[in-house]
Amino acid sequence: MTTTVPPGDEVPRGGATRRRAEIACVTAIAVKTVFALALLPLAPSLLGTDPVLLEALRGSTSAMASGGAFARVGEASLVLAVLAPLPTLLFATPFFWWAGRLWGPKAAAMLGGGHPNADKWAQRSGAHLERFGGLAVALAPYLPVPSAFIYAAAGWTGMSLRRFMAFDLLGMLSWIGLIVGLGYAVGHPAVQVAKAISHYALLVTIAVVAIAVAIAVLRTRRAAARATTPTER
């Protein structure tokens, strides 16, 4: 399929310039992934204590549902529960679009991480974009294809970044609204579950930290003992 690249969205063609663009794109996607993994240990404790903060940090489905439930019982702001995850969820999507613009359908290999269905997802994503246009981007959270492939396909099929971001924002708001709304509908029972998870997660975290400290102290003492013991000749 031949596409026309909108003005201002051209891919850098120079060797060094293109290489810098590729490194920046991959780095941004990797940073988002590492950040989400680094915060994973905090998720259980924040889920039942400050789900809106957890939404802002990770934008996870469980955090959004918990945020809606807390808003129902008056322990959080419903407006903040809807708006908090937006920056986190929207951070990486332009870089997925950029990956599609830089590498075309070959971006699926990077995004799929060697998954056997990567090529199939790429073909479906391209087909969704050709058939539905920007609506496919808005529906990305609901489609049976990883959203990253839809966003990348928007790049390689020639969608402008401005148009992409408009549909992406629309889709994210609808998705967040749905999940937060479900949590709001459940209300108190969901809050109780979230608080129970946080309670036991805190105990487990304290135990793990205590064990880790004890092991570190024992290893330090053994190393010190070996260092002070005279060497036999």
Side-chain angles (χ1 to χ4, degrees):
M1 177 182 178
T2 303
T3 59
T4 301
V5 179
D9 290 334
E10 297 88 352
V11 175
R13 296 186 179 278
T17 303
R18 183 183 177 88
R19 182 59 179 166
R20 286 194 294 269
E22 292 176 341
I23 292 174
C25 182
V26 172
T27 300
I29 294 173
V31 166
K32 174 64 168 61
T33 303
V34 171
F35 184 73
L37 291 175
L39 292 176
L40 191 58
L42 293 176
S45 59
L46 287 178
L47 188 65
T49 56
D50 198 340
V52 175
L53 175 59
L54 184 59
E55 286 184 79
L57 293 174
R58 299 193 74 244
S60 62
T61 302
S62 57
M64 290 188 285
S66 184
F70 272 62
R72 174 67 179 274
V73 299
E75 295 188 27
S77 165
L78 183 59
V79 174
L80 287 180
V82 173
L83 296 180
L86 265 180
T88 297
L89 293 178
L90 291 176
F91 171 79
T93 55
F95 294 101
F96 293 133
W97 172 91
W98 197 13
R101 183 57 55 87
L102 286 169
W103 296 292
K106 292 181 180 179
M110 178 191 72
L111 299 176
H115 196 284
N117 291 331
D119 289 338
K120 181 173 67 177
W121 288 336
Q123 292 174 4
R124 288 184 178 178
S125 298
H128 287 317
L129 264 295
E130 291 179 1
R131 183 175 181 183
F132 301 111
L135 187 59
V137 175
L139 294 175
Y142 305 92
L143 295 175
V145 176
S147 297
F149 286 81
I150 299 290
Y151 303 143
W156 78 60
T157 55
M159 184 180 295
S160 69
L161 180 59
R162 181 179 298 180
R163 188 163 182 259
F164 168 78
M165 290 304 299
F167 280 106
D168 187 27
L169 177 61
L170 178 64
M172 287 297 184
L173 281 173
S174 69
W175 174 250
I176 294 170
L178 174 63
I179 302 303
V180 171
L182 289 174
Y184 188 88
V186 175
H188 184 71
V191 171
Q192 293 301 106
V193 171
K195 288 185 176 182
I197 291 173
S198 293
H199 174 72
Y200 290 108
L202 179 61
L203 295 178
V204 171
T205 301
I206 292 173
V208 170
V209 171
I211 292 172
V213 171
I215 292 174
V217 170
L218 288 174
R219 287 179 176 176
T220 302
R221 289 181 176 177
R222 288 177 182 176
R226 284 195 294 268
T228 56
T229 300
T231 304
E232 295 183 1
R233 294 183 179 181

